[in-house]
Amino acid sequence: MSEFDSEFDDAQKLGAPSDNNRSSFHAKLLDSLFDGVYFVDAERKITYWNRGSESLTGYSACEAVGKHCFDNFLAHVDETGCALCTNSCPLADTIRDGQRREAEVFLRHKLGHRVPVCVRAAPIRDGLGQIVGAVEVFSDVTAKKQIERRVHELEGMAFRDSLTGLPNRRYMELKVRQAVEEAQQFGRSFGLLMLDIDHFKQVNDLRGHDAGDAVLKAVSETLRMGLRGEDVVGRWGGEEFLVLLPDVGASGLHDFAERCRGLVGESGVLVGETRVSVTISVGATLVAREDSSHGAIKRADMLMYFSKSGGRNQTTTG
């Protein structure tokens, strides 16, 4: 049994610590975990929220306890952007049938970006064996090595966008040129996605440039967290982003484009009391052997504009 499994069993057996007894042994034990742990009653109302939950989500116990998980403040979605809190909630299913469940999903941090987490749900029973609630344990599955590798790769400030921390246009041009060379010499396949935030000017005009910057950061973090370790996403300029996808075919290209579109569409940032959400238009293409780096990027950009002119919040491949 892994250390995580042991902690999960302990959380299930303990039951929810009393709200007014956070200094109890059980509460201290749960608060010592890096993982998020929270309890819900049979009506899915949150009765306990540990410090790991606060750290991973940005929401304090005061903000979470008393809410129902279906209030959707975490807006759990799968990798396609499908909302889970209202469609296929692991906690609701566990309360219904008493079965343990595990899933990898994306939660929405209080700051607006998406965080990939592994969630495990188990029922809580009373002395008669009746289900009276459930416990969920969740952990950040962002690869630490991925972050370290990217930081090392981008430590030269000449290749980093100052606002978002993503690779900048100069760096992405170099990576696409390298991809074209690998496609020509070794036949390796690469996909390119050009992404543009829809109606971004309205965000700046109606909410102010600080809100616009917050949206750019949230979209950047959502894209970075939502892709594979070998994928590269950079800020191309303004509200445009470029994604390089190694080793993908036509079907995978479309799937990744739709994943990005879905995750961004289900994200958002708080501006005052209002959550500002945006959508993206996507152009998706495969790098061909006869391509130049300029030609491949230009084609992805043209396809993105087809998505714009076709109504926005869509993907065009070609």
Side-chain angles (χ1 to χ4, degrees):
M1 177 181 289
S2 69
E3 181 179 353
F4 184 88
D5 287 329
S6 177
E7 293 171 348
F8 183 70
D9 285 335
D10 288 344
Q12 180 190 5
K13 294 172 183 176
L14 290 175
S18 170
D19 290 341
N20 57 13
N21 192 23
R22 186 143 191 173
S23 63
S24 72
F25 171 77
H26 289 167
K28 287 181 178 179
L29 176 62
L30 294 179
D31 275 339
S32 71
L33 304 180
F34 289 108
D35 300 311
V37 180
Y38 69 97
F39 296 79
V40 297
D41 62 18
E43 303 301 319
R44 293 167 61 193
K45 182 173 74 174
I46 296 172
T47 59
Y48 177 74
W49 187 261
N50 80 333
R51 289 197 173 93
S53 299
E54 294 180 335
S55 176
L56 291 175
T57 69
Y59 289 95
S60 68
C62 292
E63 294 173 297
V65 171
K67 283 187 170 68
H68 292 83
C69 71
F70 54 76
D71 289 336
N72 210 25
F73 67 103
L74 294 179
H76 288 110
V77 296
D78 62 20
E79 65 178 18
T80 68
C82 178
L84 299 179
C85 294
T86 54
N87 292 313
S88 181
C89 173
L91 278 179
D93 292 341
T94 290
I95 291 172
R96 186 186 69 252
D97 62 19
Q99 299 297 311
R100 288 187 176 199
R101 282 176 171 80
E102 179 177 344
E104 289 195 2
V105 304
F106 294 84
L107 64 79
R108 184 176 63 201
H109 193 277
K110 185 178 179 180
L111 295 179
H113 60 271
R114 285 288 174 184
V115 179
V117 293
C118 176
V119 301
R120 294 184 177 185
I124 297 175
R125 301 179 186 271
D126 62 16
L128 299 176
Q130 299 298 310
I131 296 175
V132 294
V135 55
E136 182 175 294
V137 180
F138 61 99
S139 56
D140 188 346
V141 295
T142 306
K144 182 180 178 182
K145 291 299 181 183
Q146 173 189 343
I147 296 175
E148 292 175 345
R149 177 172 62 82
R150 287 289 165 82
V151 169
H152 178 72
E153 191 176 28
L154 299 173
E155 60 186 358
M157 291 303 292
F159 294 121
R160 186 188 295 274
D161 176 63
S162 59
L163 176 65
T164 65
L166 292 180
N168 62 15
R169 182 170 183 148
R170 180 182 177 191
Y171 181 85
M172 294 305 295
E173 287 174 338
L174 293 174
K175 294 299 288 185
V176 175
R177 191 177 307 152
Q178 178 184 338
V180 168
E181 291 174 357
E182 291 188 30
Q184 292 171 344
Q185 295 179 22
F186 309 111
R188 190 179 183 190
S189 61
F190 288 89
L192 273 182
L193 306 179
M194 183 68 78
L195 319 171
D196 184 89
I197 301 175
D198 298 324
H199 302 298
F200 183 71
K201 185 176 184 300
Q202 292 183 12
V203 176
N204 279 329
D205 291 346
L206 297 176
R207 303 289 181 179
H209 288 281
D210 287 345
D213 287 350
V215 166
L216 287 170
K217 291 177 182 178
V219 170
S220 300
E221 194 71 358
T222 295
L223 293 173
R224 186 176 70 83
M225 293 287 196
L227 293 168
R228 304 170 300 174
E230 62 267 32
D231 301 329
V232 185
V233 55
R235 187 180 180 194
W236 190 245
E239 63 270 27
E240 290 185 337
F241 299 84
L242 187 67
V243 178
L244 180 65
L245 303 164
D247 305 313
V248 297
S251 61
L253 176 71
H254 184 265
D255 290 345
F256 278 114
E258 285 296 282
R259 176 194 291 191
C260 292
R261 192 179 65 83
L263 289 174
V264 170
E266 289 292 335
S267 303
V269 296
L270 282 175
V271 178
E273 298 297 320
T274 304
R275 183 168 294 280
V276 177
S277 298
V278 294
T279 60
I280 56 174
S281 296
V282 187
T285 190
L286 293 174
V287 175
R289 288 196 176 200
E290 62 272 17
D291 274 332
S292 65
S293 59
H294 174 74
I297 294 170
K298 184 177 180 180
R299 186 167 64 251
D301 189 59
M302 177 186 66
L303 291 165
M304 181 269 292
Y305 275 101
F306 286 162
S307 292
K308 286 282 191 185
S309 61
R312 296 182 170 86
N313 190 25
Q314 59 185 268
T315 296
T316 304
T317 59

